[in-house]
Amino acid sequence: MNNQVLAAHESLEIHEVLNFKTLCLAKSKLMQGLVFDQELRALMQKDVQQSTQAIAELQAVYAKAPFQAPVPQNRPTPIIE
Amino acid sequence: MKHMNHDYLDPINSLHVPELADTTFAMDFLIRAKEGVRNLAFALTETASPDARAVLRNQLRQAIAMHQEITELMLRKKWFHPYELQEQYQLDMLSANNTVLIGQMNLFPDDTSRIGMFDRTPDDANHGGALT
Protein backbone atom coordinates (compact mmCIF):
# COMPACT_ATOMS: atom_id res chain seq x y z
CA MET A 1 0.00 0.00 0.00
CA ASN A 2 2.79 2.40 0.95
CA ASN A 3 4.46 2.19 -2.46
CA GLN A 4 1.29 2.70 -4.43
CA VAL A 5 1.33 5.45 -7.04
CA LEU A 6 -0.69 8.56 -6.09
CA ALA A 7 -3.82 9.41 -8.04
CA ALA A 8 -3.44 12.38 -10.43
CA HIS A 9 -5.60 14.72 -8.33
CA GLU A 10 -3.80 13.72 -5.12
CA SER A 11 -0.49 14.54 -6.75
CA LEU A 12 -1.74 18.04 -7.57
CA GLU A 13 -2.82 18.59 -3.96
CA ILE A 14 0.65 17.57 -2.79
CA HIS A 15 2.16 19.86 -5.46
CA GLU A 16 0.22 22.82 -4.04
CA VAL A 17 0.96 22.07 -0.39
CA LEU A 18 4.66 21.47 -1.12
CA ASN A 19 5.03 24.81 -2.91
CA PHE A 20 3.11 26.60 -0.18
CA LYS A 21 5.39 25.11 2.49
CA THR A 22 8.48 26.00 0.48
CA LEU A 23 7.38 29.64 0.28
CA CYS A 24 6.56 29.67 4.00
CA LEU A 25 10.00 28.32 4.81
CA ALA A 26 11.65 31.02 2.66
CA LYS A 27 9.59 33.79 4.29
CA SER A 28 10.04 32.62 7.87
CA LYS A 29 13.78 32.31 7.29
CA LEU A 30 14.27 35.67 5.54
CA MET A 31 12.03 37.64 7.90
CA GLN A 32 14.09 36.55 10.89
CA GLY A 33 16.71 38.97 9.61
CA LEU A 34 14.18 41.82 9.73
CA VAL A 35 12.10 41.35 12.89
CA PHE A 36 12.95 43.25 16.07
CA ASP A 37 10.91 41.29 18.62
CA GLN A 38 12.90 38.24 19.75
CA GLU A 39 9.84 36.19 20.71
CA LEU A 40 8.42 36.66 17.20
CA ARG A 41 11.78 35.66 15.81
CA ALA A 42 11.85 32.49 17.95
CA LEU A 43 8.40 31.51 16.71
CA MET A 44 9.54 32.02 13.11
CA GLN A 45 12.55 29.80 13.79
CA LYS A 46 10.18 27.14 15.12
CA ASP A 47 8.24 27.48 11.85
CA VAL A 48 11.48 27.03 9.88
CA GLN A 49 12.15 23.75 11.68
CA GLN A 50 8.56 22.50 11.29
CA SER A 51 8.43 23.52 7.62
CA THR A 52 11.72 21.77 6.89
CA GLN A 53 10.33 18.57 8.40
CA ALA A 54 7.01 19.06 6.57
CA ILE A 55 8.80 19.51 3.24
CA ALA A 56 10.75 16.28 3.74
CA GLU A 57 7.50 14.38 4.45
CA LEU A 58 5.75 15.94 1.45
CA GLN A 59 8.69 15.15 -0.84
CA ALA A 60 8.53 11.51 0.24
CA VAL A 61 4.83 11.40 -0.72
CA TYR A 62 5.34 13.45 -3.91
CA ALA A 63 7.93 10.89 -5.08
CA LYS A 64 4.94 8.60 -5.69
CA ALA A 65 3.31 11.01 -8.19
CA PRO A 66 2.64 9.35 -11.56
CA PHE A 67 4.70 12.10 -13.23
CA GLN A 68 7.72 11.80 -10.93
CA ALA A 69 11.11 12.13 -12.67
CA PRO A 70 14.79 12.15 -11.73
CA VAL A 71 15.69 15.49 -10.13
CA PRO A 72 18.75 17.23 -11.67
CA GLN A 73 21.26 19.20 -9.57
CA ASN A 74 20.28 22.53 -11.13
CA ARG A 75 17.39 23.98 -13.05
CA PRO A 76 17.58 22.34 -16.50
CA THR A 77 17.46 25.60 -18.51
CA PRO A 78 19.36 28.76 -17.48
CA ILE A 79 17.13 31.53 -16.08
CA ILE A 80 19.18 34.36 -17.61
CA GLU A 81 20.04 34.32 -21.28
CA MET B 1 4.86 59.18 10.08
CA LYS B 2 2.09 61.18 8.45
CA HIS B 3 4.44 63.63 6.80
CA MET B 4 7.29 61.29 6.04
CA ASN B 5 10.10 63.34 4.53
CA HIS B 6 12.30 61.82 1.88
CA ASP B 7 15.62 62.09 3.71
CA TYR B 8 15.93 58.40 4.56
CA LEU B 9 18.81 59.09 6.95
CA ASP B 10 16.72 61.49 9.03
CA PRO B 11 16.29 59.74 12.41
CA ILE B 12 12.73 61.05 12.68
CA ASN B 13 11.81 58.39 10.10
CA SER B 14 13.10 55.64 12.41
CA LEU B 15 10.63 56.51 15.15
CA HIS B 16 8.33 53.55 15.90
CA VAL B 17 9.75 51.56 13.00
CA PRO B 18 10.36 48.38 15.07
CA GLU B 19 6.72 48.35 16.19
CA LEU B 20 5.45 49.00 12.67
CA ALA B 21 7.73 46.39 11.10
CA ASP B 22 6.97 43.69 13.67
CA THR B 23 3.20 44.13 13.41
CA THR B 24 3.50 43.77 9.63
CA PHE B 25 5.68 40.65 9.81
CA ALA B 26 3.49 39.11 12.50
CA MET B 27 0.38 39.78 10.41
CA ASP B 28 2.01 38.10 7.42
CA PHE B 29 2.99 35.16 9.61
CA LEU B 30 -0.56 34.88 10.98
CA ILE B 31 -2.11 34.97 7.51
CA ARG B 32 0.31 32.32 6.29
CA ALA B 33 -0.55 30.08 9.23
CA LYS B 34 -4.25 30.59 8.57
CA GLU B 35 -3.83 29.88 4.87
CA GLY B 36 -1.83 26.77 5.77
CA VAL B 37 -4.68 25.41 7.92
CA ARG B 38 -7.15 25.97 5.07
CA ASN B 39 -4.87 24.58 2.35
CA LEU B 40 -4.09 21.45 4.37
CA ALA B 41 -7.74 20.83 5.28
CA PHE B 42 -8.66 21.25 1.63
CA ALA B 43 -5.90 18.89 0.46
CA LEU B 44 -6.88 16.30 3.08
CA THR B 45 -10.49 16.16 1.87
CA GLU B 46 -9.26 15.55 -1.70
CA THR B 47 -6.88 12.71 -0.79
CA ALA B 48 -7.48 8.98 -0.35
CA SER B 49 -4.01 7.40 -0.09
CA PRO B 50 -3.46 6.46 3.57
CA ASP B 51 0.15 7.65 3.78
CA ALA B 52 -0.60 10.97 2.05
CA ARG B 53 -3.55 11.45 4.44
CA ALA B 54 -1.37 10.70 7.47
CA VAL B 55 1.20 13.32 6.41
CA LEU B 56 -1.48 15.94 5.71
CA ARG B 57 -3.41 15.23 8.91
CA ASN B 58 -0.29 15.60 11.10
CA GLN B 59 0.69 18.80 9.33
CA LEU B 60 -2.85 20.15 9.75
CA ARG B 61 -2.64 19.57 13.53
CA GLN B 62 0.73 21.29 13.61
CA ALA B 63 -0.59 24.21 11.52
CA ILE B 64 -3.54 24.72 13.88
CA ALA B 65 -1.17 24.75 16.87
CA MET B 66 1.16 27.24 15.12
CA HIS B 67 -1.79 29.49 14.28
CA GLN B 68 -2.77 29.50 17.95
CA GLU B 69 0.76 30.34 19.08
CA ILE B 70 0.99 33.27 16.67
CA THR B 71 -2.46 34.55 17.69
CA GLU B 72 -1.51 34.41 21.39
CA LEU B 73 1.79 36.19 20.78
CA MET B 74 0.07 38.94 18.81
CA LEU B 75 -2.58 39.38 21.50
CA ARG B 76 0.06 39.58 24.23
CA LYS B 77 2.05 42.17 22.25
CA LYS B 78 -1.14 44.13 21.48
CA TRP B 79 -0.56 43.78 17.74
CA PHE B 80 -3.96 42.24 17.25
CA HIS B 81 -7.26 43.22 18.89
CA PRO B 82 -10.02 40.74 18.03
CA TYR B 83 -12.29 42.16 20.76
CA GLU B 84 -11.44 45.89 20.76
CA LEU B 85 -12.63 46.52 17.24
CA GLN B 86 -11.97 50.26 17.30
CA GLU B 87 -8.35 49.63 18.21
CA GLN B 88 -8.11 47.03 15.46
CA TYR B 89 -9.62 49.54 13.04
CA GLN B 90 -7.00 52.11 14.00
CA LEU B 91 -4.19 49.58 13.60
CA ASP B 92 -5.51 48.47 10.21
CA MET B 93 -5.73 52.03 8.91
CA LEU B 94 -2.35 53.10 10.32
CA SER B 95 -0.48 50.13 8.94
CA ALA B 96 -2.17 50.58 5.55
CA ASN B 97 -1.27 54.29 5.50
CA ASN B 98 2.31 53.72 6.56
CA THR B 99 2.79 50.94 4.07
CA VAL B 100 1.39 53.11 1.26
CA LEU B 101 4.02 55.72 2.20
CA ILE B 102 6.74 53.08 2.03
CA GLY B 103 5.33 52.00 -1.33
CA GLN B 104 5.88 55.52 -2.63
CA MET B 105 9.52 55.62 -1.52
CA ASN B 106 12.30 55.17 -4.06
CA LEU B 107 14.22 52.46 -2.24
CA PHE B 108 16.08 50.46 -4.86
CA PRO B 109 18.48 51.12 -7.73
CA ASP B 110 16.82 51.62 -11.13
CA ASP B 111 18.31 48.42 -12.52
CA THR B 112 18.14 45.40 -10.23
CA SER B 113 18.76 42.75 -12.91
CA ARG B 114 22.35 42.15 -11.68
CA ILE B 115 23.20 40.66 -15.06
CA GLY B 116 26.59 39.00 -15.01
CA MET B 117 26.55 38.13 -11.32
CA PHE B 118 24.71 34.81 -11.29
CA ASP B 119 24.97 33.36 -14.79
CA ARG B 120 28.68 32.46 -14.88
CA THR B 121 31.45 31.22 -12.64
CA PRO B 122 34.38 33.56 -11.88
CA ASP B 123 36.61 31.79 -14.40
CA ASP B 124 34.09 32.38 -17.20
CA ALA B 125 35.45 35.90 -17.46
CA ASN B 126 38.51 34.22 -19.00
CA HIS B 127 36.28 32.40 -21.47
CA GLY B 128 35.96 29.29 -19.37
CA GLY B 129 39.63 28.67 -18.75
CA ALA B 130 41.68 29.42 -15.67
CA LEU B 131 44.68 31.69 -16.22
CA THR B 132 47.53 29.58 -17.50
Side-chain angles (χ1 to χ4, degrees), chain B residues 31-46:
Chain B
I31 287 174
R32 276 190 286 130
K34 217 168 133 164
E35 217 181 322
V37 170
R38 292 170 190 197
N39 288 348
L40 284 163
F42 198 89
L44 187 58
T45 58
E46 297 291 342

Side-chain angles (χ1 to χ4, degrees), chain A residues 20-54:
Chain A
F20 176 75
K21 286 282 174 199
T22 302
L23 289 172
C24 283
L25 172 58
K27 274 197 163 188
S28 285
K29 182 74 185 182
L30 289 172
M31 283 192 182
Q32 281 183 57
L34 302 172
V35 298
F36 294 86
D37 188 277
Q38 294 303 294
E39 281 181 80
L40 180 59
R41 183 179 172 181
L43 202 51
M44 286 184 176
Q45 180 54 28
K46 185 177 176 181
D47 188 53
V48 165
Q49 282 154 359
Q50 287 185 354
S51 299
T52 306
Q53 174 69 31

